[in-house]
Amino acid sequence: MVVRSLLYFSQYFNKLLGVIPIHPYAAKIKITENCNGHCITCNTWKTKHTNELSTEELQNIMNQMRDVGIRVIKFTGGEPLLREDATLLIKEARNLGFKEVAIQTNGLLLCNRAEELVKSGITDISISVDGIGKTNNIIRGIPYAYDASLLGIKAITLLAKTLKKKINVRISTTLTKYSIEEVPMLLEVCRDLGISFRINLLDKNPYEFRGVEMSALSIDNKQVVDKTLDHIETMKKETPWIISEDSNALEYVRAYCKGTPKEFLCAHGYLSVYLSSRGEVYSGCWVLNPIGNLRKTKLRNILRSDEYKRRAQQMFVKKCPGCTCGYALNVYVANFLFPTNILGFQL
């Protein structure tokens, strides 16, 4: 309640942000930035990344994360399943007591590693699927990508049921001019498989997307946006467990895709920390420059630094280029802090 009150009044008195503690509960770790996909929505795969964190370094870092109070870890990439030690790291995270341990994958290796993933203690698996069949294959740049992802999902869900493991599996779709019309079909796939669906938004600012030709991917048909979002909202009422986003987040998605995004605060600097595959620490944001490196400085010292605190304050009041990373959480926080919208936030 004290933190909530401070955040509330910080809109009038920005200096109050300086006394809010940096206490992230979640971390995203790029355990590799190499990728076996050739996505047209990303440039990461075009570079061979070297000097990445070793197994031992990552184990040490997870200990540091636990000690500062982080309870949720998500392994991302690149393609995290390219690392042979991916499931070992998941097991280590679970042994350290992290409440949630998740992985984001393009699905190309999912079937091959399904059994070890299910047995690793993973709690959440998110698979990037950006359309049905050929559409997804074109976006992934891999002719068999869709079939590989579906086979992997089926293997995971079957093994989880057989071994009585509770794993939250979801399809994660980035909305583009190619994928948006196929969202209703993807939702049916999710319903048939008993998994959920999450929406990502196309964004030019995070570094892995810089240089991508966004105009060729941007949605230019507002009627399609409304039709698709109406369908999503109807399905959410009928089958709530399928749709990950709440109604406020879905309204933001509608506005963003129609070119009228609504501005709101960003709480990620206070609530999460991101880590690159070379140990660079980001303040819950891939757009801004890193603050320190865990190969040189302890995480606790970075989080307590004046630079990190200033960054979190600037992010909160959107003194940054802006992005859609974690938009659903920010919309939730904004509505939690300002339920009556008396401060004039456009939500």
Side-chain angles (χ1 to χ4, degrees):
M1 180 60 71
V2 172
V3 171
R4 179 177 174 177
S5 299
L6 288 171
L7 287 170
Y8 183 95
F9 287 109
S10 69
Q11 296 303 304
Y12 296 107
F13 308 104
N14 286 339
K15 289 184 179 180
L16 285 177
L17 283 171
V19 302
I20 299 175
I22 303 295
H23 191 69
Y25 80 96
K28 286 185 181 180
I29 306 176
K30 287 180 181 280
I31 56 175
T32 181
E33 290 174 59
N34 292 305
C35 190
N36 55 347
H38 293 80
C39 299
I40 63 175
T41 54
C42 174
N43 279 323
T44 296
W45 59 271
K46 295 180 180 180
T47 302
K48 173 63 177 176
H49 299 270
T50 59
N51 193 32
E52 297 187 319
L53 295 165
S54 68
T55 303
E56 293 73 20
E57 285 177 309
L58 285 164
Q59 289 172 326
N60 177 271
I61 286 167
M62 288 191 291
N63 272 280
Q64 293 185 52
M65 289 180 169
R66 179 198 59 184
D67 291 345
V68 299
I70 290 171
R71 291 294 174 262
V72 175
I73 282 185
K74 184 174 186 178
F75 295 116
T76 71
E79 173 48 49
L81 292 181
L82 284 175
R83 283 191 64 135
E84 293 184 4
D85 62 355
T87 52
L88 185 153
L89 293 169
I90 293 166
K91 290 178 182 178
E92 179 68 12
R94 292 294 282 166
N95 289 337
L96 287 171
F98 288 96
K99 181 180 178 181
E100 296 178 24
V101 181
I103 196 166
Q104 173 77 43
T105 173
N106 60 26
L108 296 176
L109 298 174
L110 192 58
C111 192
N112 293 340
R113 306 197 67 176
E115 185 173 356
E116 58 180 300
L117 266 174
V118 171
K119 292 180 177 179
S120 69
I122 193 81
T123 64
D124 297 79
I125 302 176
S126 185
I127 305 96
S128 298
V129 180
D130 289 333
I132 299 292
K134 184 179 179 180
T135 300
N136 182 69
N137 296 344
I138 290 172
I139 292 175
R140 290 277 90 77
I142 303 291
Y144 56 86
Y146 184 76
D147 289 340
S149 294
L150 266 289
L151 283 173
I153 292 170
K154 290 175 181 177
I156 290 289
T157 53
L158 178 59
L159 281 166
K161 183 177 180 180
T162 302
L163 298 175
K164 297 181 180 180
K165 302 284 188 179
K166 180 173 175 52
I167 303 174
N168 299 315
V169 182
R170 68 172 58 89
I171 280 176
S172 179
T173 298
T174 299
L175 296 185
T176 67
K177 67 189 298 181
Y178 302 107
S179 64
I180 190 165
E181 292 191 63
E182 299 189 0
V183 165
M185 290 183 282
L186 285 171
L187 289 172
E188 290 304 319
V189 170
C190 289
R191 178 150 54 188
D192 291 343
L193 294 173
I195 64 176
S196 61
F197 179 81
R198 173 169 288 173
I199 299 169
N200 293 327
L201 298 174
L202 195 65
D203 197 324
K204 66 180 181 180
N205 284 329
Y207 65 81
E208 61 263 47
F209 302 121
R210 291 171 191 168
V212 173
E213 185 51 60
M214 292 293 174
S215 61
L217 298 168
S218 299
I219 302 165
D220 52 15
N221 189 326
K222 295 182 180 181
Q223 290 181 330
V224 170
V225 173
D226 282 328
K227 182 179 179 180
T228 300
L229 267 295
D230 288 347
H231 183 91
I232 291 172
E233 290 174 349
T234 298
M235 179 163 277
K236 185 171 181 65
K237 292 176 183 177
E238 296 174 351
T239 320
W241 58 265
I242 290 183
I243 311 297
S244 297
E245 291 77 17
D246 65 20
S247 57
N248 289 314
L250 290 176
E251 280 307 304
Y252 177 78
V253 170
R254 186 190 298 268
Y256 184 87
C257 291
K258 293 173 74 172
T260 56
K262 301 176 182 180
E263 293 299 326
F264 52 87
L265 57 82
C266 176
H268 283 281
Y270 292 96
L271 300 178
S272 56
V273 61
Y274 295 173
L275 184 70
S276 80
S277 66
R278 293 170 300 281
E280 298 156 322
V281 177
Y282 292 77
S283 55
C285 175
W286 295 121
V287 176
L288 301 171
N289 291 330
I291 303 175
N293 190 302
L294 293 185
R295 281 176 163 161
K296 300 177 181 179
T297 311
K298 295 291 185 182
L299 179 60
R300 184 180 299 276
N301 293 336
I302 293 174
L303 295 177
R304 288 178 174 177
S305 69
D306 291 339
E307 184 180 3
Y308 201 100
K309 291 177 181 178
R310 282 194 299 269
R311 175 69 61 78
Q313 295 169 38
Q314 291 168 350
M315 288 170 60
F316 188 85
V317 295
K318 298 304 291 285
K319 291 183 179 178
C320 61
C323 69
T324 60
C325 304
Y327 71 91
L329 174 63
N330 281 333
V331 171
Y332 175 83
V333 171
N335 278 278
F336 174 75
L337 294 175
F338 315 116
T340 59
N341 202 21
I342 63 172
L343 297 180
F345 274 102
Q346 296 177 325
L347 298 174

